[in-house]
Amino acid sequence: EAQVTQNPRYLITVTGKKLTVTCSQNMNHEYMSWYRQDPGLGLRQIYYSMNVEVTDKGDVPEGYKVSRKEKRNFPLILESPSPNQTSLYFCASRRLANYGYTFGSGTRLTVV
Amino acid sequence: GEDVEQSLFLSVREGDSSVINCTYTDSSSTYLYWYKQEPGAGLQLLTYIFSNMDMKQDQRLTVLLNKKDKHLSLRIADTQTGDSAIYFCADNNAGNMLTFGGGTRLMVKP
């Protein structure tokens, strides 16, 4: 089944403890992206990647890192999480030549 | 940066039509999308429209695009209780960035 898989689905962590949210797609998509969703703000783009080893900042990149060493994986790294990073995170992918974005099921992160 | 705006809330009666509106600011839009999000779930692509189209119909869904006014709407005919969800419009610009509106919560009353 073609899909975008995020892990974990839920995570509670403490301020300052490094964490990684994984994202993997099995559709050979070039483009991958991370979003955070906050009430009333919709989804805001954190980082995106047009292909392997190519990453760019979105609208809200502060406090996040990403890497794209392989086409299928695009992990989101929080080196020192803070409570204002408590949010619902979505990973998405698509072919560059195609309109259709496929979203993962989301990761709900709480930083205390 | 680009801005995409939607009203926060819409309430309709079952069987009526719903119209959800969206405005955007980017002139380089390539595609515009409507996504549906049910409670606790991810985003489901409902429909999309190319920026050079005026209208697209897909069963109960009609998308209207006024490119001059940068206004997008989604009409749901014969709205059902299962249509209750948050609806997001999103704009894909020429730089391949997808910008979302804040979402419109649609409540359908029996």
Side-chain angles (χ1 to χ4, degrees):
Chain A
E1 182 190 350
Q3 59 185 359
V4 176
T5 304
Q6 292 178 230
N7 279 297
R9 288 293 308 275
Y10 301 92
L11 179 59
I12 301 174
T13 191
V14 296
T15 299
K17 186 176 180 184
K18 180 179 178 180
L19 66 92
T20 299
V21 183
T22 63
C23 174
S24 180
Q25 50 94 3
N26 61 1
M27 297 165 281
N28 203 34
H29 286 173
E30 297 90 353
Y31 182 98
M32 297 186 75
S33 183
W34 276 102
Y35 298 85
R36 61 177 287 174
Q37 182 181 10
D38 301 290
L41 297 176
L43 281 82
R44 294 177 292 168
Q45 190 172 51
I46 303 170
Y47 269 95
Y48 65 99
S49 168
M50 304 278 270
N51 216 322
V52 176
E53 301 292 0
V54 179
T55 62
D56 278 296
K57 295 178 181 178
D59 292 324
V60 288
E62 295 78 18
Y64 304 94
K65 283 174 57 176
V66 292
S67 70
R68 189 90 183 273
K69 293 187 171 59
E70 307 161 283
K71 200 170 188 179
R72 63 182 293 125
N73 294 324
F74 191 46
L76 179 70
I77 302 154
L78 285 74
E79 294 271 4
S80 183
S82 62
N84 65 11
Q85 292 178 298
T86 293
S87 188
L88 178 58
Y89 291 86
F90 287 101
C91 180
S93 74
R94 74 171 175 94
R95 282 207 182 284
L96 281 180
N98 193 322
Y99 69 87
Y101 288 80
T102 302
F103 280 81
S105 299
T107 296
R108 187 167 290 282
L109 172 66
T110 302
V111 184
V112 298
Chain B
E2 195 204 343
D3 208 17
V4 179
E5 301 274 348
Q6 298 177 238
S7 53
L8 283 177
F9 190 74
L10 176 65
S11 178
V12 300
R13 293 220 170 269
E14 194 173 18
D16 288 350
S17 291
S18 309
V19 179
I20 303 171
N21 294 301
C22 172
T23 58
Y24 61 97
T25 59
D26 195 335
S27 301
S28 70
S29 299
T30 53
Y31 301 97
L32 294 123
Y33 305 84
W34 284 103
Y35 283 90
K36 177 182 181 182
Q37 185 181 38
E38 296 181 82
L43 280 84
Q44 173 195 352
L45 177 65
L46 281 180
T47 187
Y48 69 97
I49 187 167
F50 293 110
S51 60
N52 62 359
M53 294 170 64
D54 299 322
M55 185 184 95
K56 180 178 180 181
Q57 187 152 4
D58 185 0
Q59 299 182 336
R60 291 191 298 123
L61 305 178
T62 303
V63 180
L64 294 177
L65 175 61
N66 181 329
K67 199 171 181 182
K68 174 175 164 291
D69 293 339
K70 296 190 176 71
H71 182 268
L72 181 74
S73 68
L74 172 70
R75 179 177 179 270
I76 306 172
D78 187 25
T79 314
Q80 303 297 306
T81 53
D83 294 324
S84 293
I86 302 177
Y87 291 81
F88 292 95
C89 70
D91 170 31
N92 190 76
N93 67 20
N96 275 310
M97 281 192 61
L98 191 62
T99 302
F100 284 83
T104 299
R105 184 177 293 275
L106 174 64
M107 179 181 287
V108 183
K109 298 177 188 172

